[in-house]
Amino acid sequence: MDQLEQDFLHGLKTVLGLPNPFVPLHEPEFMGNEWELVKDCLDSTFVSSVGKYVDHFEVMLAEYTGAKYVVAVVNGTAALHIALLLAGVRPGDEVLIPALSFVATANAVAHCGAIPHFIDSEFKTLGIDPHALSDYLKHCSLSSSEGLTNRFTGRRIAAVVPMHTYGHPVDMVSLLDVADRYDLTVVEDAAESLDSRYQGQHTGTFGLLGTLSFNGNKVITTGGGGAILTNDAELARQAKHWTTTAKQPHRWEFFHDAVAWNYRLPNLNAALGCAQMEQLPDFLRRKRLLAQQYEKVFKDIDGIDFVVEPPNSQSNYWLNTLRLNQPSFEMRDRLLTAANEVGYQCRPTWTLLHKLPMYADCPRAPLPIAEQLEASLINVPSSAKVALV
Ligand SMILES: *Cc1c(COP(=O)(O)O)cnc(C)c1O
């Protein structure tokens, strides 16, 4: 075992203690009112599409994020799909998204019949680099009365989707400036960034719409779930309508006025979400402590940095992330093998989206930073419960 592997394992052991026998990457915690609220939901028999917990969960999320309107849905991918449709994304359009993201960002674009167009990331934030985006659009796009088009494909570029990677906010002031200059609609994929803030404002509330996920591995979970955030009353109304089969409210009549989706969040899942929301501040307090422990320990280890929250931002530190100073798939995989063999569940970042077979032919900007990050990022165990408090 070489020095870097030894230092890496020693760092993990210092922060996490010995794996006994296994430290998962991210584990949910149900130590609050989960059992009580879920039982109440079962007792009521309103487990499905009707019930008070959905409304209550939406209100809690609106209060927490500062979004005027929140529509709870069945998962984060569905939330992004509907948000993109509401933002005007149509079949044959292109949508600018980071190459470094979970596959759901690209899938939501594809579900609209649109084409993902991959953009490079910034070293510090791990999210879309607004300056690289601006330089790229200068030579690849044409502005006209029809909006922005890709001069090489002739397709309309309809929107840009910043994603706040592992909870670290994108440089939103610069991103909004680029979007403004190029007349691009902004839809934020804030699936990983519940409680992450940029200049004090909650991620997911900068764009026309934003989306959250409550999958089992996220900061809070509803089993599966998601939400659409917006400050626009009409978009919120439409989001609710389209995600609930476009049924016109009536006491007995079934009248639907559009081909729509059944994307609603069941009441049972929302009950779990309400209990999880009550504990969110405590989860985040402990996750932050854990991040500070990683930062302190890895400061003294040559060759590996801990990724800290970007300037002007507060990260939720959803997944703690280490970065090799020298990008190398070979070294990355050696460290991953060593850690996983001992029982620390560590993961690489996602395979860049343009390397997946279904997205290989999509347009893309030069991706030098994303390529570096792909060969250098390692996610380390990040559950609130492993913090030494
Ligand atoms: C988790 C996640 C989603 C949504 O995932 P669901 O599993 O559908 O809730 C979307 N984008 C990113 C970047 C994610 O991490």
Side-chain angles (χ1 to χ4, degrees):
M1 213 187 271
D2 80 1
Q3 190 62 43
L4 198 62
E5 280 171 274
Q6 283 179 32
D7 290 349
F8 174 62
L9 287 182
H10 183 73
L12 292 179
K13 198 177 97 195
T14 309
V15 176
L16 301 166
L18 284 170
N20 185 19
F22 179 68
V23 188
L25 186 67
H26 202 283
E27 225 183 341
E29 220 178 281
F30 305 114
M31 308 282 276
N33 288 321
E34 284 86 356
W35 295 88
E36 194 182 314
L37 299 196
V38 170
K39 181 170 187 306
D40 178 58
C41 188
L42 293 172
D43 290 341
S44 76
T45 77
F46 287 98
V47 294
S48 189
S49 53
V50 179
K52 65 180 181 188
Y53 286 111
V54 174
D55 295 341
H56 190 196
F57 187 47
E58 290 176 343
V59 169
M60 288 178 101
L61 286 167
E63 280 172 1
Y64 206 86
T65 59
K68 273 204 186 127
Y69 307 98
V70 175
V71 176
V73 297
V74 73
N75 60 52
T77 312
L80 192 55
H81 176 197
I82 297 300
L84 289 168
L85 289 175
L86 287 170
V89 174
R90 294 292 169 264
D93 286 346
E94 292 180 9
V95 177
L96 304 165
I97 69 170
L100 183 75
S101 185
F102 179 55
V103 69
T105 315
N107 286 345
V109 172
H111 294 331
C112 298
I115 295 115
H117 185 153
F118 300 116
I119 299 300
D120 204 15
S121 291
E122 200 174 357
F123 189 75
K124 252 198 208 133
T125 67
L126 314 179
I128 284 188
D129 181 339
H131 305 289
L133 174 62
S134 177
D135 290 346
Y136 177 65
L137 288 176
K138 218 174 282 168
H139 88 93
C140 118
S141 69
L142 287 168
S143 289
S144 74
S145 55
E146 325 254 286
L148 197 66
T149 44
N150 179 335
R151 73 162 77 214
F152 301 108
T153 63
R155 292 188 289 241
R156 186 173 87 104
I157 303 177
V160 60
V161 182
M163 192 280 281
H164 308 287
T165 313
Y166 306 132
H168 299 306
V170 166
D171 170 4
M172 286 308 291
V173 161
S174 305
L175 194 276
L176 290 175
D177 174 60
V178 179
D180 197 44
R181 278 190 281 120
Y182 284 94
D183 205 11
L184 279 166
T185 303
V186 176
V187 176
E188 290 172 82
D189 183 347
E192 307 183 352
S193 59
L194 179 60
D195 201 52
S196 293
R197 288 153 207 274
Y198 177 86
Q199 295 185 352
Q201 186 177 335
H202 200 286
T203 53
T205 66
F206 289 87
L208 182 64
L209 300 125
T211 59
L212 301 173
S213 165
F214 313 112
N215 189 32
N217 60 351
K218 296 287 176 14
V219 174
I220 65 160
T221 187
T222 57
I228 300 169
L229 314 180
T230 184
N231 289 326
D232 184 305
E234 179 51 26
L235 288 176
R237 194 196 59 75
Q238 194 79 347
K240 192 57 136 183
H241 194 59
W242 282 1
T243 54
T244 55
T245 70
K247 182 178 180 298
Q248 289 193 351
H250 192 280
R251 271 166 67 197
W252 58 78
E253 208 163 41
F254 285 97
F255 189 85
H256 307 259
D257 59 19
V259 178
W261 292 265
N262 177 14
Y263 275 178
R264 66 187 112 209
L265 184 72
N267 200 41
L268 192 56
N269 300 74
L272 190 55
C274 291
Q276 288 269 289
M277 278 303 286
E278 293 172 357
Q279 297 166 81
L280 181 57
D282 182 56
F283 291 161
L284 292 163
R285 183 183 60 81
R286 285 184 285 140
K287 284 173 71 66
R288 201 163 184 83
L289 273 175
L290 180 63
Q292 285 163 358
Q293 288 156 8
Y294 276 119
E295 185 182 357
K296 184 156 154 265
V297 166
F298 279 90
K299 208 168 241 150
D300 297 331
I301 294 178
D302 279 344
I304 304 179
D305 289 327
F306 177 71
V307 178
V308 294
E309 62 195 355
N312 306 316
S313 297
Q314 177 193 301
S315 174
N316 66 5
Y317 285 104
W318 170 51
L319 287 188
N320 288 299
T321 307
L322 301 174
R323 179 168 45 209
L324 302 182
N325 293 166
Q326 302 291 328
S328 154
F329 285 106
E330 202 258 347
M331 178 52 78
R332 181 196 79 170
D333 291 350
R334 265 167 52 197
L335 298 183
L336 286 169
T337 305
N340 283 286
E341 262 171 18
V342 180
Y344 301 113
Q345 189 179 35
C346 296
R347 292 274 178 79
T349 193
W350 311 284
T351 301
L352 297 183
L353 293 171
H354 70 282
K355 297 185 179 176
L356 303 179
M358 60 287 193
Y359 297 123
D361 296 330
C362 293
R364 61 178 193 259
L367 304 168
I369 303 299
E371 300 272 2
Q372 272 188 42
L373 291 171
E374 185 189 27
S376 54
L377 297 184
I378 294 179
N379 292 133
V380 291
S382 300
S383 314
K385 70 169 70 157
V386 298
L388 303 165
V389 291

